[in-house]
Amino acid sequence: MQRRHQWAINKKWIRCSPGILPAISIAIQTFTKPGDKIIIQTPVYHPFTSVVKTISVN
């Protein structure tokens, strides 16, 4: 990232995730609060939409 995009990544920012769907779920739960809106730009891989809708309902 530094060489190609001049963006220095702090190692403390890097986290592991068991997959992209759990990562999306964690990001939504971390960075939104009840009542916030989430934009889904279609077409999109169906499970991405499902994750957003499932978390938004809970």
Side-chain angles (χ1 to χ4, degrees):
M1 293 301 288
Q2 177 64 42
R3 181 171 45 87
R4 290 187 178 194
H5 305 288
Q6 297 73 50
W7 185 29
I9 304 294
N10 185 327
K11 288 184 180 185
K12 293 179 183 179
W13 298 344
I14 300 171
R15 296 288 183 253
C16 291
S17 171
I20 188 65
L21 296 174
I24 291 171
S25 176
I26 291 166
I28 291 169
Q29 293 176 50
T30 301
F31 297 111
T32 65
K33 56 186 178 285
D36 284 353
K37 304 293 184 198
I38 299 171
I39 295 173
I40 303 171
Q41 294 186 300
T42 59
V44 67
Y45 180 53
H46 176 70
F48 293 173
T49 303
S50 296
V51 167
V52 172
K53 287 181 178 180
T54 300
I55 291 173
S56 297
V57 170
N58 295 331

Coordinates of all heavy atoms in Angstrom, one line a residue:
M1 N 0.8 -1.2 0.0 CA 0.0 0.0 0.0 C 0.9 1.3 0.0 O 0.5 2.2 -0.7 CB -0.9 0.0 1.2 CG -2.0 -1.1 1.2 SD -3.1 -1.0 -0.3 CE -4.1 0.4 0.1
Q2 N 1.9 1.2 0.8 CA 2.8 2.4 0.8 C 3.5 2.6 -0.5 O 3.4 3.7 -1.1 CB 3.9 2.2 1.9 CG 4.9 3.4 2.0 CD 4.2 4.7 2.4 OE1 3.4 4.7 3.3 NE2 4.6 5.7 1.7
R3 N 4.0 1.6 -1.1 CA 4.7 1.7 -2.4 C 3.8 2.1 -3.5 O 4.1 3.0 -4.3 CB 5.4 0.4 -2.7 CG 6.2 0.5 -4.0 CD 7.1 -0.8 -4.2 NE 6.4 -2.0 -3.9 CZ 5.7 -2.7 -4.9 NH1 5.5 -2.2 -6.1 NH2 5.1 -3.8 -4.5
R4 N 2.6 1.5 -3.6 CA 1.7 1.7 -4.7 C 0.8 2.9 -4.6 O 0.4 3.6 -5.5 CB 0.9 0.5 -5.0 CG 1.6 -0.6 -5.6 CD 0.7 -1.8 -6.0 NE 1.5 -2.8 -6.5 CZ 1.0 -3.8 -7.2 NH1 -0.3 -3.9 -7.4 NH2 1.8 -4.8 -7.7
H5 N 0.4 3.2 -3.3 CA -0.7 4.2 -3.1 C -0.2 5.3 -2.1 O -1.1 6.1 -1.7 CB -1.9 3.5 -2.6 CG -2.4 2.5 -3.5 ND1 -3.0 2.7 -4.7 CD2 -2.4 1.1 -3.4 CE1 -3.3 1.6 -5.3 NE2 -3.0 0.6 -4.6
Q6 N 1.0 5.2 -1.6 CA 1.5 6.2 -0.6 C 0.6 6.3 0.6 O 0.3 7.3 1.1 CB 1.7 7.6 -1.3 CG 2.7 7.7 -2.4 CD 2.2 7.0 -3.7 OE1 1.1 7.3 -4.2 NE2 3.0 6.1 -4.2
W7 N 0.2 5.1 1.0 CA -0.7 5.0 2.2 C 0.0 4.1 3.2 O 0.1 2.9 3.0 CB -2.1 4.5 1.8 CG -3.1 4.4 2.9 CD1 -3.2 5.3 4.0 CD2 -4.2 3.5 3.1 NE1 -4.2 5.0 4.8 CE2 -4.9 3.9 4.2 CE3 -4.6 2.4 2.3 CZ2 -6.0 3.2 4.7 CZ3 -5.7 1.8 2.8 CH2 -6.4 2.1 3.9
A8 N 0.4 4.7 4.3 CA 1.1 3.9 5.3 C 0.1 3.2 6.2 O -0.8 3.8 6.8 CB 2.0 4.8 6.2
I9 N 0.2 1.9 6.3 CA -0.7 1.1 7.1 C -0.1 0.8 8.5 O 1.0 0.2 8.5 CB -1.1 -0.3 6.4 CG1 -1.7 0.0 5.0 CG2 -2.0 -1.1 7.3 CD1 -3.0 0.7 5.0
N10 N -0.8 1.1 9.5 CA -0.3 0.8 10.9 C -0.7 -0.7 11.2 O -1.8 -1.1 10.9 CB -1.0 1.7 11.9 CG -0.5 1.6 13.3 OD1 -0.2 0.5 13.7 ND2 -0.5 2.6 14.0
K11 N 0.2 -1.5 11.6 CA 0.0 -2.9 11.9 C -1.2 -3.1 12.9 O -1.8 -4.1 12.9 CB 1.2 -3.6 12.4 CG 2.2 -3.8 11.3 CD 3.4 -4.6 11.7 CE 4.4 -4.7 10.6 NZ 5.5 -5.6 10.9
K12 N -1.4 -2.1 13.7 CA -2.5 -2.2 14.7 C -3.9 -2.2 14.1 O -4.9 -2.5 14.6 CB -2.4 -1.1 15.8 CG -1.2 -1.3 16.7 CD -1.1 -0.1 17.7 CE 0.1 -0.3 18.5 NZ 0.2 0.8 19.5
W13 N -3.9 -1.6 12.8 CA -5.2 -1.5 12.1 C -5.6 -2.9 11.5 O -6.8 -3.0 11.1 CB -5.1 -0.5 11.0 CG -4.8 0.9 11.4 CD1 -4.9 1.4 12.6 CD2 -4.4 1.9 10.5 NE1 -4.5 2.7 12.6 CE2 -4.2 3.1 11.3 CE3 -4.1 2.0 9.2 CZ2 -3.8 4.3 10.8 CZ3 -3.6 3.2 8.7 CH2 -3.5 4.3 9.5
I14 N -4.7 -3.8 11.3 CA -5.0 -5.0 10.6 C -5.6 -6.0 11.6 O -5.1 -6.3 12.7 CB -3.7 -5.6 10.0 CG1 -3.1 -4.6 9.1 CG2 -4.0 -7.0 9.4 CD1 -1.7 -5.0 8.6
R15 N -6.7 -6.6 11.1 CA -7.5 -7.6 11.9 C -7.8 -8.8 11.0 O -7.9 -8.7 9.8 CB -8.8 -7.1 12.4 CG -8.6 -6.0 13.4 CD -8.1 -6.5 14.7 NE -8.0 -5.4 15.7 CZ -6.8 -4.9 16.1 NH1 -5.7 -5.3 15.6 NH2 -6.8 -4.0 17.0
C16 N -7.9 -10.0 11.6 CA -8.2 -11.2 10.8 C -9.7 -11.4 10.9 O -10.4 -11.0 11.9 CB -7.5 -12.4 11.4 SG -5.8 -12.4 11.1
S17 N -10.3 -12.0 9.9 CA -11.7 -12.3 9.9 C -11.8 -13.7 9.2 O -11.1 -14.0 8.3 CB -12.5 -11.3 9.1 OG -13.8 -11.7 8.9
P18 N -12.8 -14.5 9.7 CA -13.0 -15.8 9.1 C -13.6 -15.7 7.6 O -13.7 -16.7 7.0 CB -14.0 -16.5 10.0 CG -14.7 -15.4 10.7 CD -13.7 -14.3 10.8
G19 N -14.0 -14.5 7.2 CA -14.5 -14.4 5.8 C -15.1 -13.0 5.6 O -15.2 -12.2 6.5
I20 N -15.5 -12.7 4.4 CA -16.0 -11.4 4.0 C -17.3 -11.1 4.7 O -17.6 -10.0 5.1 CB -16.0 -11.1 2.5 CG1 -16.3 -9.7 2.2 CG2 -17.0 -12.1 1.8 CD1 -15.3 -8.7 2.6
L21 N -18.2 -12.1 4.7 CA -19.5 -11.9 5.3 C -19.4 -11.5 6.8 O -20.1 -10.6 7.3 CB -20.5 -13.0 5.0 CG -20.8 -13.2 3.5 CD1 -21.6 -14.5 3.3 CD2 -21.5 -12.0 2.9
P22 N -18.7 -12.3 7.6 CA -18.5 -11.9 9.0 C -17.8 -10.6 9.1 O -18.2 -9.8 10.0 CB -17.6 -13.0 9.6 CG -17.8 -14.2 8.7 CD -18.1 -13.6 7.3
A23 N -16.9 -10.2 8.2 CA -16.3 -8.9 8.3 C -17.3 -7.8 8.1 O -17.2 -6.8 8.7 CB -15.1 -8.8 7.3
I24 N -18.2 -8.0 7.1 CA -19.2 -7.0 6.8 C -20.1 -6.8 8.0 O -20.4 -5.7 8.4 CB -20.0 -7.3 5.5 CG1 -19.1 -7.2 4.3 CG2 -21.2 -6.4 5.4 CD1 -19.7 -7.7 3.0
S25 N -20.5 -7.9 8.6 CA -21.3 -7.9 9.8 C -20.7 -7.2 10.9 O -21.3 -6.3 11.6 CB -21.7 -9.4 10.2 OG -22.4 -9.4 11.4
I26 N -19.4 -7.5 11.2 CA -18.7 -6.8 12.3 C -18.6 -5.3 12.0 O -18.8 -4.5 12.9 CB -17.3 -7.4 12.5 CG1 -17.5 -8.9 13.0 CG2 -16.4 -6.6 13.4 CD1 -16.2 -9.7 12.9
A27 N -18.3 -4.9 10.8 CA -18.2 -3.5 10.4 C -19.5 -2.8 10.6 O -19.5 -1.7 11.2 CB -17.7 -3.4 9.0
I28 N -20.6 -3.4 10.2 CA -21.9 -2.7 10.4 C -22.2 -2.6 11.8 O -22.6 -1.5 12.3 CB -23.0 -3.6 9.7 CG1 -22.8 -3.5 8.2 CG2 -24.4 -3.1 10.1 CD1 -23.7 -4.5 7.4
Q29 N -22.0 -3.6 12.6 CA -22.2 -3.5 14.1 C -21.3 -2.5 14.8 O -21.7 -1.9 15.8 CB -22.1 -4.9 14.7 CG -23.2 -5.8 14.2 CD -23.0 -7.2 14.8 OE1 -22.8 -7.4 15.9 NE2 -23.0 -8.2 13.9
T30 N -20.1 -2.3 14.3 CA -19.1 -1.4 14.9 C -19.4 0.0 14.5 O -19.3 0.9 15.4 CB -17.7 -1.8 14.5 OG1 -17.5 -3.2 14.9 CG2 -16.7 -0.9 15.1
F31 N -19.7 0.3 13.2 CA -19.8 1.7 12.8 C -21.2 2.2 12.6 O -21.3 3.4 12.1 CB -19.0 1.8 11.5 CG -17.5 1.4 11.6 CD1 -17.0 0.3 11.1 CD2 -16.7 2.3 12.4 CE1 -15.6 0.0 11.3 CE2 -15.3 2.0 12.6 CZ -14.8 0.8 12.0
T32 N -22.2 1.5 12.9 CA -23.6 2.0 12.8 C -24.3 1.9 14.1 O -23.9 1.1 15.0 CB -24.4 1.3 11.7 OG1 -24.6 0.0 12.0 CG2 -23.7 1.4 10.3
K33 N -25.4 2.6 14.2 CA -26.2 2.4 15.4 C -27.7 2.2 14.9 O -28.0 2.5 13.7 CB -26.1 3.6 16.3 CG -26.4 4.9 15.7 CD -26.1 6.1 16.7 CE -26.3 7.4 16.1 NZ -25.4 7.9 15.1
P34 N -28.5 1.7 15.8 CA -29.9 1.4 15.4 C -30.5 2.7 14.7 O -30.4 3.8 15.2 CB -30.6 1.1 16.7 CG -29.5 0.5 17.5 CD -28.3 1.3 17.2
G35 N -31.2 2.5 13.6 CA -31.9 3.6 12.9 C -31.0 4.2 11.8 O -31.5 4.9 10.9
D36 N -29.7 3.9 11.8 CA -28.9 4.3 10.7 C -29.3 3.6 9.4 O -29.8 2.5 9.4 CB -27.4 4.0 10.9 CG -26.8 5.0 11.9 OD1 -27.4 5.9 12.3 OD2 -25.6 4.7 12.3
K37 N -29.0 4.3 8.3 CA -29.3 3.7 7.0 C -28.0 3.2 6.3 O -27.0 3.7 6.6 CB -29.9 4.8 6.0 CG -31.2 5.4 6.6 CD -32.3 4.5 6.7 CE -33.6 5.2 7.2 NZ -34.6 4.3 7.7
I38 N -28.2 2.1 5.6 CA -27.0 1.5 4.9 C -27.4 1.4 3.4 O -28.4 0.9 3.0 CB -26.7 0.1 5.4 CG1 -26.4 0.2 6.9 CG2 -25.6 -0.6 4.7 CD1 -26.3 -1.1 7.6
I39 N -26.5 2.0 2.6 CA -26.7 1.9 1.1 C -26.2 0.6 0.6 O -25.0 0.3 0.9 CB -26.1 3.1 0.4 CG1 -26.7 4.4 0.9 CG2 -26.1 3.0 -1.1 CD1 -26.0 5.6 0.4
I40 N -27.0 -0.1 -0.2 CA -26.5 -1.2 -0.9 C -26.6 -0.9 -2.4 O -27.7 -0.7 -2.9 CB -27.4 -2.5 -0.6 CG1 -27.4 -2.8 0.9 CG2 -26.9 -3.7 -1.4 CD1 -28.3 -3.8 1.3
Q41 N -25.5 -0.8 -3.1 CA -25.5 -0.5 -4.5 C -25.6 -1.8 -5.3 O -24.6 -2.6 -5.3 CB -24.3 0.3 -4.9 CG -24.3 1.7 -4.2 CD -23.2 2.6 -4.7 OE1 -22.1 2.3 -4.5 NE2 -23.6 3.7 -5.2
T42 N -26.7 -2.0 -6.0 CA -26.9 -3.2 -6.8 C -26.4 -3.0 -8.2 O -26.3 -1.8 -8.6 CB -28.4 -3.6 -6.8 OG1 -29.1 -2.5 -7.3 CG2 -28.9 -3.9 -5.4
P43 N -26.1 -4.1 -8.9 CA -26.2 -5.4 -8.5 C -25.0 -5.8 -7.5 O -23.9 -5.2 -7.6 CB -26.0 -6.2 -9.8 CG -25.2 -5.4 -10.7 CD -25.6 -3.9 -10.3
V44 N -25.3 -6.6 -6.6 CA -24.4 -7.0 -5.6 C -24.6 -8.5 -5.3 O -25.7 -9.1 -5.4 CB -24.5 -6.2 -4.3 CG1 -25.8 -6.4 -3.6 CG2 -23.3 -6.3 -3.4
Y45 N -23.5 -9.2 -4.8 CA -23.6 -10.6 -4.4 C -24.7 -10.7 -3.3 O -24.6 -10.0 -2.3 CB -22.2 -10.9 -3.9 CG -22.0 -12.3 -3.4 CD1 -22.4 -13.4 -4.1 CD2 -21.5 -12.6 -2.1 CE1 -22.2 -14.7 -3.7 CE2 -21.2 -13.9 -1.6 CZ -21.6 -14.9 -2.4 OH -21.4 -16.2 -2.0
H46 N -25.7 -11.6 -3.5 CA -26.9 -11.7 -2.7 C -26.5 -11.8 -1.2 O -27.2 -11.1 -0.4 CB -27.7 -12.8 -3.1 CG -28.9 -13.0 -2.3 ND1 -30.0 -12.2 -2.2 CD2 -29.2 -14.0 -1.4 CE1 -30.8 -12.6 -1.3 NE2 -30.4 -13.7 -0.8
P47 N -25.6 -12.6 -0.8 CA -25.3 -12.7 0.7 C -24.9 -11.3 1.3 O -25.1 -11.1 2.5 CB -24.2 -13.7 0.8 CG -24.4 -14.6 -0.4 CD -24.8 -13.6 -1.5
F48 N -24.3 -10.4 0.5 CA -24.0 -9.1 1.1 C -25.3 -8.4 1.5 O -25.4 -7.8 2.6 CB -23.2 -8.2 0.1 CG -21.8 -8.7 -0.2 CD1 -21.1 -8.1 -1.2 CD2 -21.2 -9.8 0.4 CE1 -19.8 -8.5 -1.5 CE2 -20.0 -10.2 0.1 CZ -19.3 -9.5 -0.9
T49 N -26.3 -8.4 0.7 CA -27.6 -7.8 1.0 C -28.2 -8.5 2.2 O -28.8 -7.8 3.0 CB -28.5 -7.9 -0.3 OG1 -27.9 -7.3 -1.4 CG2 -29.9 -7.3 0.0
S50 N -28.1 -9.8 2.2 CA -28.7 -10.6 3.3 C -28.1 -10.2 4.7 O -28.8 -10.1 5.7 CB -28.6 -12.1 3.1 OG -29.3 -12.5 2.0
V51 N -26.8 -10.0 4.7 CA -26.1 -9.6 5.9 C -26.6 -8.3 6.4 O -27.0 -8.1 7.6 CB -24.6 -9.6 5.7 CG1 -23.9 -8.9 6.9 CG2 -24.0 -11.0 5.6
V52 N -26.7 -7.3 5.5 CA -27.2 -6.0 5.9 C -28.6 -6.1 6.4 O -29.0 -5.5 7.4 CB -27.1 -5.0 4.7 CG1 -27.8 -3.7 5.0 CG2 -25.6 -4.8 4.3
K53 N -29.5 -6.8 5.7 CA -30.9 -6.9 6.1 C -31.1 -7.6 7.4 O -31.9 -7.2 8.3 CB -31.7 -7.6 5.0 CG -31.9 -6.7 3.8 CD -32.8 -7.4 2.7 CE -33.0 -6.5 1.6 NZ -33.8 -7.1 0.5
T54 N -30.3 -8.7 7.6 CA -30.4 -9.4 8.9 C -29.9 -8.6 10.1 O -30.6 -8.6 11.1 CB -29.5 -10.7 8.8 OG1 -30.0 -11.5 7.7 CG2 -29.6 -11.5 10.1
I55 N -28.9 -7.9 9.9 CA -28.4 -7.0 11.0 C -29.3 -5.9 11.3 O -29.6 -5.5 12.4 CB -26.9 -6.5 10.7 CG1 -26.0 -7.7 10.8 CG2 -26.5 -5.5 11.7 CD1 -24.6 -7.4 10.4
S56 N -29.9 -5.3 10.2 CA -30.8 -4.2 10.4 C -32.0 -4.5 11.1 O -32.6 -3.7 11.8 CB -31.1 -3.6 9.0 OG -29.9 -3.1 8.4
V57 N -32.5 -5.8 11.0 CA -33.7 -6.2 11.6 C -33.4 -6.5 13.1 O -34.3 -6.2 14.0 CB -34.2 -7.5 11.0 CG1 -35.3 -8.1 11.8 CG2 -34.7 -7.2 9.6
N58 N -32.2 -7.0 13.4 CA -31.9 -7.3 14.8 C -31.6 -6.1 15.7 O -31.3 -5.1 15.6 CB -30.7 -8.3 14.9 CG -31.1 -9.6 14.3 OD1 -32.3 -10.0 14.3 ND2 -30.2 -10.3 13.7

